[in-house]
Amino acid sequence: MTGTEALEIIATFLKDEPVVLANGYISREFFNVQDREENFYMIGSMGLASSIGLGAALAQPERRTVIVDGDGNVLMSMGTLAMIAAAKPKNLVHLCIDNEVYESTGKQRSLSNEIALEKVAAANGYPYSQRVDNADDLKVEMEKVMSQEGPSFLLVKVAPSFDSQRGRVTHTPEEIRDRFMSAYR
């Protein structure tokens, strides 16, 4: 499964949930798959999608919030896994697209081929943490995490294959903020 295929599957499970997307190809690809006002694209700030997603989940506990992170982002901000587990937001779904490389900067290897991030999330206290390796399992697990209490962590293993020729997010940072805040009310 490619990262784009995974994002296309994830998009089919979204309704009006706020979605905070990690920087790099995750934001770029999801912008091309399903641009929506509820998406908060990280233009920079590597590793902080989970912190912003936690804040959004705590601010509106009646609304499910989804974080779409990358393995490099999770590795950079592992402390946020503990903060999420300690805060226990029942409305939070944390997805990690794991291609085992820093694809946006030239495919340097990350440590996720040696560190089982789903086990790190579980060890931090996420009540539900799973790993999927194919599209069929992703669909089954998305159904679960989008309907059960969280926080839930889902590691989605993909091949490094984002298309560098696809367009970037065309919204300005101010437009992203304003659209997200408007949809978030």
Side-chain angles (χ1 to χ4, degrees), residues 33-163:
V33 167
Q34 189 181 65
D35 181 36
R36 48 199 281 280
E37 292 192 356
E38 295 87 356
N39 294 349
F40 189 84
Y41 303 105
M42 301 290 295
I43 303 299
S45 305
M46 184 172 181
L48 295 181
S50 55
S51 297
I52 293 171
L54 173 60
L58 294 174
Q60 290 196 2
E62 72 286 350
R63 244 178 128 175
R64 187 169 308 280
T65 298
V66 178
I67 300 165
V68 183
D69 230 336
D71 54 304
N73 287 278
V74 170
L75 287 163
M76 179 171 270
S77 293
M78 272 198 179
T80 308
L81 296 176
M83 287 193 310
I84 290 171
K88 300 179 177 66
K90 293 179 180 177
N91 58 331
L92 184 63
V93 176
H94 192 173
L95 308 173
C96 179
I97 308 298
D98 182 3
N99 59 7
E100 300 184 357
V101 295
Y102 296 93
E103 194 165 358
S104 300
T105 59
K107 297 185 180 177
Q108 302 87 357
R109 300 234 19 110
S110 78
L111 294 174
S112 66
N113 64 333
E114 299 175 34
I115 307 294
L117 295 175
E118 75 282 10
K119 292 180 181 174
V120 173
N124 273 282
Y126 278 67
Y128 189 81
S129 183
Q130 290 293 319
R131 168 187 167 142
V132 296
D133 298 290
N134 61 64
D136 290 337
D137 289 347
L138 175 57
K139 292 173 188 171
V140 169
E141 288 298 327
M142 281 300 298
E143 187 74 36
K144 285 183 191 174
V145 298
M146 294 302 286
S147 62
Q148 68 187 17
E149 287 189 356
S152 300
F153 185 90
L154 184 57
L155 186 76
V156 183
K157 291 298 254 188
V158 299
S161 57
F162 287 118
D163 181 359

